[in-house]
Amino acid sequence: MAKSGPNYKVNGKEYYRVSLEIGRDATGKRKTKFFTGKTKKEANQKKQEYINKQILGLKDTKTLWFAQTFNSWLFEVVKMSDIKPTTFARYEGLYRNYINDSPLACISIDKIEPMSIQRYYNDLFKKQKKSSSQISYLNKFIRKFFNYCVDCGYIVNNPCSGNKISLPKEKRSEAIAKKVEIFTDDELNKMLNSDDCKIKYISLFSLATGMRRGEVIALKESDIDIKHNEIHIRRTIATTAIFDENNIKTKQTIVQEPKTKNSIRDIPLPNSLKSIIKKAKLIRNEEKFKAGESYSTKNLDYLFLSERGNFINAGNLDKTWAKFLKNIDIPHKKFHTLRHTYATKQFENDIPLKTVSTLLGHGDIGITADIYTHVLKKQKEKSVDILEII
């Protein structure tokens, strides 16, 4: 009896090959799928895996590599949904920095195990010093992709779902040490007493209201209700990457909806801002007169515009902000520090957490509590000893 051996040869190498009839084509001819392996057992195992996938209703994922499939999902599915340009730009950045060249990039999506993802996250945390929040955001992104793969029948289970993965966490002592930065009273006085200019008015608006930078420069005159002392926050301006139909990226300054649904809000108009509003309008009108016909007339209802009447570019605003701080001898801090300072001052004046959270436009009161833990702790320490005052 002849000894069984390899029955298939390619490029001078011998393999075992087994076949499976998978139906008939349009002409009625039988269709056959082949499976090869270094051993007969390996070839038959591949055949059985294919049969099992067909029984479960799964599709053949032979060419569905992680990074490649992720790219297709991102640009052909996610991009086509009702997604804000800034959100898509963040997603594209995550893909470019954490997916495209990751250790998982060239693995077939049906071969990716929770432990593979766990090891990647551990490496990001320990060796690349990425924060818990960064890894958590990345995990949500990857989990969303795998949910899509499950829905499409590429895989049975999402390797990121449930308790399959443990996200790395900073030690409690390290987390507590990360306090939000604020401006001192001395620095705030320097701002208030500085020479009048547009960046001063923009910064004082944020300081007096806790509004985000994009919300301040997106304010229209019609958003400011002097009669009822209210500011209506309805939009934000952002400079972000925009991908055209050919996925070519350009930087653009755009108007879009605020960060969350809670960011669409009405807040009190501080009396201190009324004179600043008049001065800001005066500067805008002076710039319009100076620019003449080159001044854009499309955005005249906006309170803060560039010298030519366009939306203010975030990069240019950052440079102007840095120069402003340098001129008044204040060490550089991010513009967002004004918002932190506003919230801290509110807490120091015993304004309730829920109220501050609403004024800031946070999606959840827990977000506010997490950010300002150290401030709230100080306020708790002021609590009265009831037995001492009875």
Side-chain angles (χ1 to χ4, degrees):
M1 185 175 180
K3 185 179 179 181
S4 177
N7 60 357
Y8 182 65
K9 192 172 184 177
V10 61
N11 295 329
K13 294 184 177 181
E14 294 183 332
Y15 297 92
Y16 288 86
R17 186 168 78 162
V18 295
S19 62
L20 175 70
E21 188 176 317
I22 58 173
R24 296 177 181 271
D25 61 19
T27 64
K29 186 179 179 180
R30 291 180 177 178
K31 294 170 62 178
T32 304
K33 188 173 181 66
F34 295 96
F35 306 87
T36 59
K38 293 181 180 179
T39 64
K40 191 173 183 178
K41 181 179 179 180
E42 183 182 343
N44 279 317
Q45 187 176 355
K46 289 182 179 179
K47 176 181 175 179
Q48 190 58 50
E49 286 177 357
Y50 177 82
I51 293 172
N52 292 341
K53 285 182 179 180
Q54 300 310 301
I55 293 172
L56 291 169
L58 298 179
K59 298 178 181 178
D60 187 2
T61 57
K62 184 178 179 181
T63 58
L64 294 181
W65 313 121
F66 180 62
Q68 185 182 52
T69 310
F70 211 113
N71 181 279
S72 299
W73 169 73
L74 181 61
F75 283 95
E76 296 176 36
V77 179
V78 177
K79 185 185 173 189
M80 296 300 106
S81 65
D82 184 22
I83 185 173
K84 290 196 292 188
T86 48
T87 303
F88 184 80
R90 283 199 301 273
Y91 283 175
E92 189 276 334
L94 280 175
Y95 169 79
R96 180 165 26 87
N97 293 314
Y98 297 101
I99 305 296
N100 191 44
D101 294 319
S102 72
L104 308 172
C106 296
I107 302 177
S108 179
I109 58 173
D110 62 324
K111 296 292 190 295
I112 295 179
E113 299 288 339
M115 185 54 70
S116 302
I117 300 172
Q118 182 73 63
R119 286 171 180 155
Y120 179 43
Y121 290 168
N122 293 348
D123 182 77
L124 289 174
F125 185 72
K126 293 177 180 178
K127 296 181 180 179
Q128 301 186 41
K129 304 302 179 184
K130 303 302 178 182
S131 69
S132 295
S133 59
Q134 286 174 307
I135 296 172
S136 177
Y137 192 68
L138 173 63
N139 185 61
K140 289 178 183 178
F141 187 42
I142 293 177
R143 187 171 63 224
K144 184 181 292 189
F145 163 72
F146 278 123
N147 279 337
Y148 168 80
C149 292
V150 171
D151 290 343
C152 289
Y154 300 149
I155 55 177
V156 179
N157 296 308
N158 186 334
C160 292
S161 64
N163 297 316
K164 298 170 186 172
I165 292 172
S166 178
L167 297 179
K169 298 284 186 183
E170 286 101 350
K171 293 179 181 178
R172 182 169 177 79
S173 58
E174 293 175 352
I176 292 174
K178 294 180 180 179
K179 295 180 181 179
V180 294
E181 192 174 37
I182 65 170
F183 286 103
T184 66
D185 288 346
D186 181 56
E187 291 169 338
L188 294 177
N189 283 322
K190 285 182 179 180
M191 283 187 204
L192 287 168
N193 296 318
S194 63
D195 294 337
D196 289 342
C197 61
K198 191 190 305 181
I199 188 62
K200 174 183 176 179
Y201 301 147
I202 292 174
S203 61
L204 292 182
F205 237 97
S206 181
L207 177 64
T209 62
M211 292 171 65
R212 301 175 179 93
R213 178 181 67 181
E215 294 171 344
V216 175
I217 60 177
L219 273 178
K220 293 183 177 182
E221 285 189 56
S222 54
D223 296 324
I224 302 170
D225 187 344
I226 301 290
K227 182 179 179 180
H228 298 98
N229 287 318
E230 278 191 332
I231 298 175
H232 308 297
I233 301 171
R234 297 293 182 268
R235 71 198 70 79
T236 186
I237 286 177
T239 302
T240 187
I242 300 293
F243 296 82
D244 64 15
E245 63 274 9
N246 298 313
N247 293 330
I248 296 174
K249 180 170 69 173
T250 57
K251 280 277 188 178
Q252 295 181 31
T253 300
I254 60 168
V255 178
Q256 62 179 14
E257 290 184 357
K259 190 174 181 180
T260 65
K261 65 179 182 179
N262 294 74
S263 296
I264 301 173
R265 61 199 190 278
D266 298 329
I267 62 174
L269 169 64
N271 285 326
S272 58
L273 284 183
K274 292 180 180 179
S275 61
I276 290 173
I277 292 168
K278 292 179 181 179
K279 292 177 181 178
K281 288 164 65 174
L282 182 61
I283 285 183
R284 185 195 60 195
N285 294 336
E286 288 175 347
E287 288 178 341
K288 181 177 181 298
F289 178 77
K290 185 177 180 180
E293 293 183 358
S294 65
Y295 196 89
S296 174
T297 57
K298 295 187 297 182
N299 311 311
L300 287 179
D301 191 29
Y302 285 81
L303 187 60
F304 298 108
L305 294 166
S306 72
E307 292 180 354
R308 295 300 177 91
N310 300 311
F311 296 135
I312 297 176
N313 177 281
N316 293 338
L317 184 59
D318 283 340
K319 292 175 184 176
T320 307
W321 168 247
K323 186 177 180 181
F324 173 65
L325 292 181
K326 185 177 180 179
N327 288 342
I328 58 178
D329 195 30
I330 294 178
H332 187 270
K333 294 181 179 72
K334 292 181 179 180
F335 189 92
H336 203 73
T337 306
L338 293 165
R339 181 170 158 88
H340 289 321
T341 305
Y342 165 84
T344 301
K345 292 294 183 184
Q346 296 297 322
F347 288 127
E348 288 176 351
N349 285 276
D350 301 321
I351 303 301
L353 173 62
K354 175 61 178 175
T355 302
V356 176
S357 183
T358 301
L359 291 171
L360 292 172
H362 281 161
D364 188 285
I365 192 172
I367 296 173
T368 318
D370 287 344
I371 295 173
Y372 300 102
T373 299
H374 66 293
V375 183
L376 295 170
K377 182 176 181 294
K378 287 182 180 179
Q379 296 310 104
K380 287 178 183 177
E381 290 170 355
K382 294 181 180 178
S383 61
V384 176
D385 185 339
I386 301 298
L387 296 182
E388 287 286 341
I389 62 174
I390 293 177

